[in-house]
């Protein structure tokens, strides 16, 4: 099921190294080919881009921003800006919980935009898939 694709724009190599394991796990949960279920009329999936501030670049904000439909693709995208203090020198669990809360905020905004364009075929199923994925991610961050 391709529901959400995660990518990142990093303000330093260290920021990229900090976010990569989470991004990889999130893509394995939310962006895989295991199902042919169609959740949208014409949209392919949602995209969340982590904008992770670091020593070379500070994105200056925190939280969801820049919600829009991608040009040339049937994808709705949103950025999740993450300040350096949110990822530097914190535990795997703390960063994971911070991310999943931000992802949930982004998901609600993405869903609202898709609803506005009457794109969602089954909102209950969409929510169920998201909650199941969120729970899998919480299991991942709670692993030792």
């Amino acid at each position: 099921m391709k529901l959400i694709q995660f990518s990142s724009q990093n303000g330093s190599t260290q920021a990229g190294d900090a976010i990569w394991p989470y991004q990889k796990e999130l893509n394995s949960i939310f962006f895989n080919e295991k199902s042919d279920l169609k959740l949208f009329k014409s949209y392919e999936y949602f995209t969340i881009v982590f904008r992770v501030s670091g020593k070379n670049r500070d994105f200056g904000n925190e939280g969801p921003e820049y919600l829009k439909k991608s040009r040339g693709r049937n994808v709705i995208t949103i950025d999740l800006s993450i300040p350096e203090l949110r990822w530097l020198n914190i535990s795997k669990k703390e960063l994971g919980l911070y991310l999943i809360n931000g992802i949930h905020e982004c998901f609600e905004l993405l869903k609202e935009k898709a609803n506005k364009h009457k794109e969602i075929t089954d909102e209950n199923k969409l929510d169920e898939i998201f909650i199941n994925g969120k729970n899998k991610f919480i299991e991942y961050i709670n692993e030792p």
Side-chain angles (χ1 to χ4, degrees):
M1 159 62 40
K2 289 185 174 184
L3 176 58
I4 306 170
Q5 181 183 45
F6 294 87
S7 62
S8 67
Q9 184 179 7
N10 304 306
S12 68
T13 302
Q14 189 181 13
D17 291 346
I19 207 72
W20 171 246
Y22 302 93
Q23 180 182 334
K24 182 180 173 190
E25 183 66 20
L26 287 161
N27 277 320
S28 74
I29 293 169
F30 289 102
F31 199 70
N32 60 58
E33 300 287 341
K34 293 179 184 172
S35 171
D36 291 332
L37 184 65
K38 187 123 171 82
L39 298 171
F40 307 106
K41 291 178 182 173
S42 66
Y43 290 159
E44 297 172 45
Y45 50 84
F46 295 148
T47 299
I48 296 176
V49 179
F50 298 133
R51 297 176 73 219
V52 189
S53 291
K55 68 178 181 177
N56 299 328
R57 182 164 184 198
D58 182 352
F59 293 102
N61 294 313
E62 181 173 12
E65 56 187 357
Y66 306 119
L67 174 66
K68 63 184 182 280
K69 183 186 174 302
S70 291
R71 281 192 193 142
R73 297 185 308 156
N74 283 331
V75 174
I76 303 175
T77 184
I78 193 167
D79 294 349
L80 178 60
S81 292
I82 304 166
E84 189 174 29
L85 66 95
R86 295 295 187 183
W87 63 263
L88 189 61
N89 299 321
I90 65 170
S91 72
K92 173 185 176 183
K93 185 174 182 173
E94 288 173 310
L95 179 53
L97 289 172
Y98 174 81
L99 288 174
I100 202 63
N101 288 330
I103 290 164
H104 196 116
E105 282 183 71
C106 289
F107 176 75
E108 291 299 324
L109 292 167
L110 289 161
K111 190 171 74 167
E112 184 179 308
K113 187 159 185 82
N115 268 330
K116 188 175 182 179
H117 294 120
K118 299 182 184 344
E119 276 289 327
I120 298 173
T121 58
D122 185 340
E123 189 168 350
N124 290 331
K125 189 66 175 172
L126 183 75
D127 288 338
E128 177 186 327
I129 290 168
F130 179 77
I131 295 301
N132 287 340
K134 183 177 173 179
N135 289 336
K136 285 181 188 173
F137 185 71
I138 291 169
E139 288 174 21
Y140 164 76
I141 63 173
N142 284 319
E143 292 174 354

